[in-house]
Amino acid sequence: MAFFVHLTSRANIARVQRSGVRTSPGQGDVRGVFCFPMLASYAVTHQWLHALEPHHEPQGMVAVDVRIPDDEPVTVGHFDDRDARRVTALEAVRVVRALEDPGGWEVVVPRPVLRREVERIREVGRAGARPLVPEPCAHTVPTGPPAPFLPPFPTEPPVGVPDVFLHFEWAIPEQVRGD
């Protein structure tokens, strides 16, 4: 049995527990259960969290771990690929594992996932999201010579401030101070 992760809104937990995962529309005429093979990397396995989570606020998202029979026909490809390959579930896992960068790839099961195929529903955190790489912007690039280095703390106490505000050692436990 091939092991996949489907991300869904927390609001769908009761429905998934009751009847499994239903199909949803994708790009073009694609319809199915969108999932990703369970890989060794948590961040890669849950990469779609970053793209999907803003659409599921404020409830957030959960991961639904599903087992699909190895010989089940599925579609595997990049999300914007019109020529996705029709393969078995086991072959889809092999294809994704063999990729150097599986970012943006998905597996589509063309039928609902039955309740008995749902292994578990679990919390998923933002740690699984792939970080955004910001586009370089011309107005954010500093121009001219670099600013002079400033020490992190002033070397002399400020004038006119009572001593009680200048010495905080009494408020920090010895274990934290390192005494």
Side-chain angles (χ1 to χ4, degrees):
M1 300 281 266
F3 201 39
F4 295 93
V5 176
H6 170 74
L7 299 172
T8 189
S9 174
R10 185 173 276 108
N12 296 334
I13 291 175
R15 188 183 74 233
V16 170
Q17 289 173 332
R18 184 176 58 252
S19 58
V21 182
R22 65 181 176 190
T23 62
S24 59
Q27 292 186 356
D29 59 348
V30 177
R31 184 169 187 85
V33 176
F34 295 83
C35 51
F36 195 83
M38 181 68 77
L39 301 178
S41 170
Y42 182 89
V44 174
T45 300
H46 299 87
Q47 64 177 301
W48 284 102
L49 181 64
H50 179 75
L52 298 174
E53 194 171 41
H55 303 287
H56 296 278
E57 294 294 333
Q59 303 99 340
M61 303 207 50
V62 293
V64 180
D65 296 338
V66 298
R67 287 204 184 269
I68 304 295
D70 289 343
D71 59 346
E72 180 83 27
V74 298
T75 305
V76 63
H78 198 268
F79 77 95
D80 62 356
D81 186 7
R82 300 285 181 221
D83 299 320
R85 297 180 4 195
R86 186 97 167 156
V87 295
T88 64
L90 185 60
E91 183 62 23
V93 173
R94 287 185 188 133
V95 167
V96 173
R97 280 187 180 162
L99 294 170
E100 188 174 317
D101 179 19
W105 281 68
E106 63 188 4
V107 174
V108 182
V109 180
R111 61 165 180 82
V113 173
L114 305 174
R115 185 178 79 183
R116 70 174 183 265
E117 295 173 319
V118 174
E119 288 288 314
R120 68 180 177 198
I121 301 170
R122 59 186 167 79
E123 293 293 324
V124 64
R126 292 287 290 158
R130 294 182 104 182
L132 268 181
V133 178
E135 294 283 329
C137 298
H139 66 276
T140 60
V141 177
T143 58
F149 174 76
L150 297 175
F153 301 104
T155 54
E156 297 179 15
V159 178
V161 177
D163 283 346
V164 70
F165 294 111
L166 295 178
H167 303 288
F168 291 106
E169 289 89 16
W170 60 269
I172 303 172
E174 290 177 0
Q175 296 84 4
V176 176
R177 276 199 328 251
D179 290 343

